[in-house]
Amino acid sequence: MATTKRLIDAQENDVVLVGHSYGGAVITDAAAGNSKVKASVYVAAFAPDAGEALGGLIERFSPSALATALVLDSAGFLYIDRRKFQQVFANDLTKDEAAVLAATQKPIAGAIFGEGVTAAAWKTIPSWYVVSTQDNAINPDLERFMAKRIGAQIKEIKASHVGFISQPTEITKVIEAAAGAAN
């Protein structure tokens, strides 16, 4: 969060933040109280409330396929089993595209699922949300719940968790709408 806050502060102009997956929690916290942030766009992303942990959000809806594909390493980091990656994370990409993503994925600290954000910027900043209806990583019903709760402008697309790769034009339209509304 601190790095994102520093990057926002370093900008000369207003900012529209875009977060995907765990990145939604990052922008939710980092944008709070910053007058430079004029809009937030969540793309198949977590949008927690202040004090709310991601693990609690995930548990509110039937488990996603991601839970059965995660591998915990000896340092407490999680990554997606390469054999299950396409099905869980990128089911609308080619086998080769998914293989590249699987091979280059960055593990995430497992502890983040138990940590709550300190503030919820979406309470004061206009938000947009792209729900990926074919997402096997974050339950689409959870995405809809979060989008509605934050009062976002909602766009549903038939995409996996990586709709920004499979449907970049649709994602771009939503980001441009947020930027246009921010002006």
Side-chain angles (χ1 to χ4, degrees):
M1 310 289 174
T3 300
T4 303
K5 287 180 182 184
R6 283 193 314 274
L7 287 170
I8 295 167
D9 290 338
Q11 303 310 303
E12 292 181 21
N13 298 310
D14 292 338
V15 177
V16 173
L17 294 179
V18 179
H20 169 255
S21 199
Y22 172 68
V26 173
I27 68 171
T28 295
D29 206 347
N34 193 315
S35 62
K36 287 185 179 181
V37 180
K38 300 303 180 189
S40 296
V41 179
Y42 295 83
V43 179
F46 290 103
D49 200 349
E52 190 172 46
L54 304 185
L57 280 170
I58 293 167
E59 290 173 4
R60 292 182 75 162
F61 292 84
S62 59
S64 71
L66 181 62
T68 64
L70 291 175
V71 178
L72 182 66
D73 73 12
S74 61
F77 286 83
L78 296 167
Y79 64 93
I80 301 168
D81 182 322
R82 288 184 185 189
R83 295 168 299 191
K84 298 178 181 179
F85 191 93
Q86 183 175 23
Q87 172 200 359
V88 170
F89 213 74
N91 57 25
D92 56 350
L93 299 183
T94 68
K95 185 176 180 178
D96 288 345
E97 289 170 321
V100 169
L101 292 177
T104 59
Q105 67 180 300
K106 181 181 177 191
I108 189 167
I112 63 102
F113 291 101
E115 297 174 5
V117 297
T118 59
W122 50 260
K123 291 183 177 181
T124 58
I125 297 170
S127 299
W128 282 252
Y129 198 109
V130 179
V131 174
S132 291
T133 64
Q134 306 299 306
D135 197 336
N136 290 326
I138 299 176
N139 186 318
D141 289 333
L142 174 56
E143 292 179 23
R144 290 182 189 100
F145 164 79
M146 291 182 290
K148 183 177 179 183
R149 178 175 71 170
I150 70 174
Q153 298 290 323
I154 302 169
K155 170 76 175 175
E156 291 204 12
I157 62 172
K158 186 177 180 182
S160 70
H161 193 59
V162 291
F164 58 91
I165 297 173
S166 64
Q167 295 198 38
T169 302
E170 293 302 314
I171 303 301
T172 300
K173 287 177 187 177
V174 174
I175 296 168
E176 287 173 342
N183 287 334

